[in-house]
Amino acid sequence: MSKQTDAIGARTGISVPLRERVAGWRERAERGICLLDARMRTLTAEPEEGAATAEYAVVLVAATGFAALLVAILKSGTVKNLLTDIVKQALNVA
């Protein structure tokens, strides 16, 4: 122990080990408050970030459904005949 620590302990009436424990508690509390503050700032900075991802997923599901519908329509016999006739007419004109 230094003379200064002894003098502080004598003035305040607090023992050195207790003072060190309190200082440790204070450091941990300050660190926890800083982490909490950083977390709160992060959460409030971009509150709709997850919403954009969800919207993107919904659009992809809708596009996939629309593509499946188009494939089903294009595979039908009526549409095949219609498209074949259009291609034949285009080749006859040229």
Side-chain angles (χ1 to χ4, degrees), residues 34-56:
C34 286
L35 290 173
L36 181 61
D37 179 57
R39 180 72 176 146
M40 293 302 293
R41 288 176 188 266
T42 301
L43 289 175
T44 57
E46 294 292 331
E48 295 184 12
E49 191 170 302
T53 305
E55 290 167 2
Y56 182 71

PDB file of all heavy atoms in Angstrom, residues 34-56:
ATOM      1  N   CYS A  34     -22.397   1.089 -21.048  1.00  0.00           N
ATOM      2  CA  CYS A  34     -21.908   1.409 -22.395  1.00  0.00           C
ATOM      3  C   CYS A  34     -22.397   0.379 -23.412  1.00  0.00           C
ATOM      4  O   CYS A  34     -22.807   0.744 -24.516  1.00  0.00           O
ATOM      5  CB  CYS A  34     -20.383   1.478 -22.405  1.00  0.00           C
ATOM      6  SG  CYS A  34     -19.740   2.950 -21.627  1.00  0.00           S
ATOM      7  N   LEU A  35     -22.353  -0.907 -23.046  1.00  0.00           N
ATOM      8  CA  LEU A  35     -22.831  -1.946 -23.954  1.00  0.00           C
ATOM      9  C   LEU A  35     -24.331  -1.817 -24.212  1.00  0.00           C
ATOM     10  O   LEU A  35     -24.800  -1.976 -25.331  1.00  0.00           O
ATOM     11  CB  LEU A  35     -22.507  -3.328 -23.394  1.00  0.00           C
ATOM     12  CG  LEU A  35     -21.027  -3.708 -23.386  1.00  0.00           C
ATOM     13  CD1 LEU A  35     -20.823  -5.033 -22.659  1.00  0.00           C
ATOM     14  CD2 LEU A  35     -20.487  -3.793 -24.791  1.00  0.00           C
ATOM     15  N   LEU A  36     -25.081  -1.519 -23.170  1.00  0.00           N
ATOM     16  CA  LEU A  36     -26.518  -1.330 -23.318  1.00  0.00           C
ATOM     17  C   LEU A  36     -26.820  -0.129 -24.214  1.00  0.00           C
ATOM     18  O   LEU A  36     -27.690  -0.192 -25.088  1.00  0.00           O
ATOM     19  CB  LEU A  36     -27.168  -1.141 -21.949  1.00  0.00           C
ATOM     20  CG  LEU A  36     -28.682  -0.958 -21.930  1.00  0.00           C
ATOM     21  CD1 LEU A  36     -29.373  -2.178 -22.508  1.00  0.00           C
ATOM     22  CD2 LEU A  36     -29.154  -0.691 -20.516  1.00  0.00           C
ATOM     23  N   ASP A  37     -26.075   0.958 -24.018  1.00  0.00           N
ATOM     24  CA  ASP A  37     -26.260   2.145 -24.843  1.00  0.00           C
ATOM     25  C   ASP A  37     -25.949   1.835 -26.310  1.00  0.00           C
ATOM     26  O   ASP A  37     -26.697   2.227 -27.204  1.00  0.00           O
ATOM     27  CB  ASP A  37     -25.356   3.275 -24.335  1.00  0.00           C
ATOM     28  CG  ASP A  37     -25.496   4.535 -25.172  1.00  0.00           C
ATOM     29  OD1 ASP A  37     -26.630   5.033 -25.295  1.00  0.00           O
ATOM     30  OD2 ASP A  37     -24.469   5.001 -25.708  1.00  0.00           O
ATOM     31  N   ALA A  38     -24.862   1.108 -26.545  1.00  0.00           N
ATOM     32  CA  ALA A  38     -24.500   0.753 -27.924  1.00  0.00           C
ATOM     33  C   ALA A  38     -25.576  -0.129 -28.555  1.00  0.00           C
ATOM     34  O   ALA A  38     -25.942   0.060 -29.720  1.00  0.00           O
ATOM     35  CB  ALA A  38     -23.156   0.041 -27.940  1.00  0.00           C
ATOM     36  N   ARG A  39     -26.109  -1.068 -27.790  1.00  0.00           N
ATOM     37  CA  ARG A  39     -27.153  -1.953 -28.312  1.00  0.00           C
ATOM     38  C   ARG A  39     -28.422  -1.172 -28.650  1.00  0.00           C
ATOM     39  O   ARG A  39     -29.036  -1.389 -29.693  1.00  0.00           O
ATOM     40  CB  ARG A  39     -27.457  -3.034 -27.264  1.00  0.00           C
ATOM     41  CG  ARG A  39     -28.504  -4.009 -27.682  1.00  0.00           C
ATOM     42  CD  ARG A  39     -28.008  -4.942 -28.736  1.00  0.00           C
ATOM     43  NE  ARG A  39     -29.036  -5.914 -29.043  1.00  0.00           N
ATOM     44  CZ  ARG A  39     -29.232  -6.418 -30.223  1.00  0.00           C
ATOM     45  NH1 ARG A  39     -28.445  -6.100 -31.217  1.00  0.00           N
ATOM     46  NH2 ARG A  39     -30.191  -7.273 -30.436  1.00  0.00           N
ATOM     47  N   MET A  40     -28.810  -0.265 -27.772  1.00  0.00           N
ATOM     48  CA  MET A  40     -30.003   0.546 -28.020  1.00  0.00           C
ATOM     49  C   MET A  40     -29.826   1.431 -29.247  1.00  0.00           C
ATOM     50  O   MET A  40     -30.742   1.583 -30.053  1.00  0.00           O
ATOM     51  CB  MET A  40     -30.338   1.400 -26.796  1.00  0.00           C
ATOM     52  CG  MET A  40     -30.788   0.595 -25.583  1.00  0.00           C
ATOM     53  SD  MET A  40     -32.225  -0.434 -25.904  1.00  0.00           S
ATOM     54  CE  MET A  40     -33.456   0.819 -26.158  1.00  0.00           C
ATOM     55  N   ARG A  41     -28.631   2.016 -29.393  1.00  0.00           N
ATOM     56  CA  ARG A  41     -28.378   2.852 -30.574  1.00  0.00           C
ATOM     57  C   ARG A  41     -28.432   2.018 -31.846  1.00  0.00           C
ATOM     58  O   ARG A  41     -28.933   2.464 -32.876  1.00  0.00           O
ATOM     59  CB  ARG A  41     -27.031   3.550 -30.454  1.00  0.00           C
ATOM     60  CG  ARG A  41     -27.016   4.655 -29.439  1.00  0.00           C
ATOM     61  CD  ARG A  41     -25.606   5.239 -29.302  1.00  0.00           C
ATOM     62  NE  ARG A  41     -25.523   6.160 -28.212  1.00  0.00           N
ATOM     63  CZ  ARG A  41     -25.676   7.474 -28.338  1.00  0.00           C
ATOM     64  NH1 ARG A  41     -25.930   7.993 -29.507  1.00  0.00           N
ATOM     65  NH2 ARG A  41     -25.576   8.248 -27.285  1.00  0.00           N
ATOM     66  N   THR A  42     -27.916   0.794 -31.790  1.00  0.00           N
ATOM     67  CA  THR A  42     -27.943  -0.082 -32.951  1.00  0.00           C
ATOM     68  C   THR A  42     -29.375  -0.456 -33.317  1.00  0.00           C
ATOM     69  O   THR A  42     -29.745  -0.451 -34.484  1.00  0.00           O
ATOM     70  CB  THR A  42     -27.132  -1.360 -32.667  1.00  0.00           C
ATOM     71  OG1 THR A  42     -25.796  -0.995 -32.348  1.00  0.00           O
ATOM     72  CG2 THR A  42     -27.124  -2.287 -33.858  1.00  0.00           C
ATOM     73  N   LEU A  43     -30.174  -0.775 -32.320  1.00  0.00           N
ATOM     74  CA  LEU A  43     -31.555  -1.180 -32.597  1.00  0.00           C
ATOM     75  C   LEU A  43     -32.404  -0.039 -33.133  1.00  0.00           C
ATOM     76  O   LEU A  43     -33.300  -0.253 -33.941  1.00  0.00           O
ATOM     77  CB  LEU A  43     -32.187  -1.749 -31.328  1.00  0.00           C
ATOM     78  CG  LEU A  43     -31.659  -3.108 -30.874  1.00  0.00           C
ATOM     79  CD1 LEU A  43     -32.275  -3.493 -29.542  1.00  0.00           C
ATOM     80  CD2 LEU A  43     -31.947  -4.172 -31.916  1.00  0.00           C
ATOM     81  N   THR A  44     -32.148   1.172 -32.680  1.00  0.00           N
ATOM     82  CA  THR A  44     -32.958   2.299 -33.121  1.00  0.00           C
ATOM     83  C   THR A  44     -32.427   2.940 -34.392  1.00  0.00           C
ATOM     84  O   THR A  44     -33.121   3.737 -35.012  1.00  0.00           O
ATOM     85  CB  THR A  44     -33.061   3.365 -32.021  1.00  0.00           C
ATOM     86  OG1 THR A  44     -31.750   3.798 -31.652  1.00  0.00           O
ATOM     87  CG2 THR A  44     -33.785   2.817 -30.803  1.00  0.00           C
ATOM     88  N   ALA A  45     -31.217   2.600 -34.821  1.00  0.00           N
ATOM     89  CA  ALA A  45     -30.641   3.223 -36.016  1.00  0.00           C
ATOM     90  C   ALA A  45     -31.378   2.786 -37.278  1.00  0.00           C
ATOM     91  O   ALA A  45     -31.713   3.596 -38.119  1.00  0.00           O
ATOM     92  CB  ALA A  45     -29.156   2.887 -36.123  1.00  0.00           C
ATOM     93  N   GLU A  46     -31.615   1.488 -37.441  1.00  0.00           N
ATOM     94  CA  GLU A  46     -32.296   0.959 -38.621  1.00  0.00           C
ATOM     95  C   GLU A  46     -33.445   0.063 -38.167  1.00  0.00           C
ATOM     96  O   GLU A  46     -33.357  -1.157 -38.239  1.00  0.00           O
ATOM     97  CB  GLU A  46     -31.304   0.159 -39.480  1.00  0.00           C
ATOM     98  CG  GLU A  46     -30.208   0.991 -40.094  1.00  0.00           C
ATOM     99  CD  GLU A  46     -30.723   1.938 -41.151  1.00  0.00           C
ATOM    100  OE1 GLU A  46     -31.736   1.626 -41.796  1.00  0.00           O
ATOM    101  OE2 GLU A  46     -30.111   3.007 -41.307  1.00  0.00           O
ATOM    102  N   PRO A  47     -34.553   0.639 -37.718  1.00  0.00           N
ATOM    103  CA  PRO A  47     -35.626  -0.202 -37.181  1.00  0.00           C
ATOM    104  C   PRO A  47     -36.334  -1.051 -38.219  1.00  0.00           C
ATOM    105  O   PRO A  47     -36.939  -2.052 -37.885  1.00  0.00           O
ATOM    106  CB  PRO A  47     -36.582   0.817 -36.562  1.00  0.00           C
ATOM    107  CG  PRO A  47     -36.328   2.078 -37.302  1.00  0.00           C
ATOM    108  CD  PRO A  47     -34.871   2.043 -37.671  1.00  0.00           C
ATOM    109  N   GLU A  48     -36.245  -0.704 -39.508  1.00  0.00           N
ATOM    110  CA  GLU A  48     -36.969  -1.451 -40.540  1.00  0.00           C
ATOM    111  C   GLU A  48     -36.051  -2.333 -41.361  1.00  0.00           C
ATOM    112  O   GLU A  48     -36.422  -2.784 -42.433  1.00  0.00           O
ATOM    113  CB  GLU A  48     -37.710  -0.477 -41.442  1.00  0.00           C
ATOM    114  CG  GLU A  48     -38.795   0.291 -40.716  1.00  0.00           C
ATOM    115  CD  GLU A  48     -39.573   1.187 -41.644  1.00  0.00           C
ATOM    116  OE1 GLU A  48     -39.433   1.049 -42.864  1.00  0.00           O
ATOM    117  OE2 GLU A  48     -40.319   2.022 -41.143  1.00  0.00           O
ATOM    118  N   GLU A  49     -34.858  -2.595 -40.879  1.00  0.00           N
ATOM    119  CA  GLU A  49     -33.911  -3.390 -41.642  1.00  0.00           C
ATOM    120  C   GLU A  49     -34.440  -4.801 -41.886  1.00  0.00           C
ATOM    121  O   GLU A  49     -34.328  -5.343 -42.962  1.00  0.00           O
ATOM    122  CB  GLU A  49     -32.583  -3.442 -40.897  1.00  0.00           C
ATOM    123  CG  GLU A  49     -31.458  -4.016 -41.714  1.00  0.00           C
ATOM    124  CD  GLU A  49     -30.146  -3.822 -41.015  1.00  0.00           C
ATOM    125  OE1 GLU A  49     -29.792  -2.672 -40.722  1.00  0.00           O
ATOM    126  OE2 GLU A  49     -29.487  -4.833 -40.753  1.00  0.00           O
ATOM    127  N   GLY A  50     -35.026  -5.422 -40.885  1.00  0.00           N
ATOM    128  CA  GLY A  50     -35.584  -6.753 -41.043  1.00  0.00           C
ATOM    129  C   GLY A  50     -36.821  -6.767 -41.931  1.00  0.00           C
ATOM    130  O   GLY A  50     -37.107  -7.749 -42.599  1.00  0.00           O
ATOM    131  N   ALA A  51     -37.560  -5.656 -41.938  1.00  0.00           N
ATOM    132  CA  ALA A  51     -38.765  -5.570 -42.759  1.00  0.00           C
ATOM    133  C   ALA A  51     -38.402  -5.641 -44.238  1.00  0.00           C
ATOM    134  O   ALA A  51     -39.123  -6.262 -45.022  1.00  0.00           O
ATOM    135  CB  ALA A  51     -39.524  -4.286 -42.449  1.00  0.00           C
ATOM    136  N   ALA A  52     -37.305  -5.037 -44.639  1.00  0.00           N
ATOM    137  CA  ALA A  52     -36.888  -5.081 -46.038  1.00  0.00           C
ATOM    138  C   ALA A  52     -36.587  -6.515 -46.451  1.00  0.00           C
ATOM    139  O   ALA A  52     -36.935  -6.944 -47.560  1.00  0.00           O
ATOM    140  CB  ALA A  52     -35.668  -4.190 -46.243  1.00  0.00           C
ATOM    141  N   THR A  53     -35.961  -7.279 -45.580  1.00  0.00           N
ATOM    142  CA  THR A  53     -35.660  -8.675 -45.879  1.00  0.00           C
ATOM    143  C   THR A  53     -36.946  -9.474 -46.018  1.00  0.00           C
ATOM    144  O   THR A  53     -37.068 -10.306 -46.916  1.00  0.00           O
ATOM    145  CB  THR A  53     -34.773  -9.266 -44.767  1.00  0.00           C
ATOM    146  OG1 THR A  53     -33.615  -8.445 -44.630  1.00  0.00           O
ATOM    147  CG2 THR A  53     -34.368 -10.676 -45.085  1.00  0.00           C
ATOM    148  N   ALA A  54     -37.916  -9.237 -45.152  1.00  0.00           N
ATOM    149  CA  ALA A  54     -39.188  -9.950 -45.230  1.00  0.00           C
ATOM    150  C   ALA A  54     -39.934  -9.592 -46.514  1.00  0.00           C
ATOM    151  O   ALA A  54     -40.509 -10.458 -47.173  1.00  0.00           O
ATOM    152  CB  ALA A  54     -40.033  -9.632 -44.004  1.00  0.00           C
ATOM    153  N   GLU A  55     -39.919  -8.319 -46.875  1.00  0.00           N
ATOM    154  CA  GLU A  55     -40.577  -7.897 -48.116  1.00  0.00           C
ATOM    155  C   GLU A  55     -39.908  -8.539 -49.324  1.00  0.00           C
ATOM    156  O   GLU A  55     -40.574  -8.963 -50.266  1.00  0.00           O
ATOM    157  CB  GLU A  55     -40.533  -6.375 -48.230  1.00  0.00           C
ATOM    158  CG  GLU A  55     -41.413  -5.672 -47.224  1.00  0.00           C
ATOM    159  CD  GLU A  55     -41.133  -4.188 -47.136  1.00  0.00           C
ATOM    160  OE1 GLU A  55     -40.273  -3.696 -47.894  1.00  0.00           O
ATOM    161  OE2 GLU A  55     -41.768  -3.524 -46.307  1.00  0.00           O
ATOM    162  N   TYR A  56     -38.588  -8.624 -49.292  1.00  0.00           N
ATOM    163  CA  TYR A  56     -37.850  -9.257 -50.378  1.00  0.00           C
ATOM    164  C   TYR A  56     -38.264 -10.725 -50.511  1.00  0.00           C
ATOM    165  O   TYR A  56     -38.475 -11.213 -51.614  1.00  0.00           O
ATOM    166  CB  TYR A  56     -36.352  -9.133 -50.097  1.00  0.00           C
ATOM    167  CG  TYR A  56     -35.456  -9.696 -51.161  1.00  0.00           C
ATOM    168  CD1 TYR A  56     -35.332  -9.073 -52.393  1.00  0.00           C
ATOM    169  CD2 TYR A  56     -34.726 -10.851 -50.937  1.00  0.00           C
ATOM    170  CE1 TYR A  56     -34.509  -9.580 -53.372  1.00  0.00           C
ATOM    171  CE2 TYR A  56     -33.898 -11.374 -51.896  1.00  0.00           C
ATOM    172  CZ  TYR A  56     -33.790 -10.732 -53.119  1.00  0.00           C
ATOM    173  OH  TYR A  56     -32.978 -11.244 -54.078  1.00  0.00           O
TER     174      TYR A  56
END
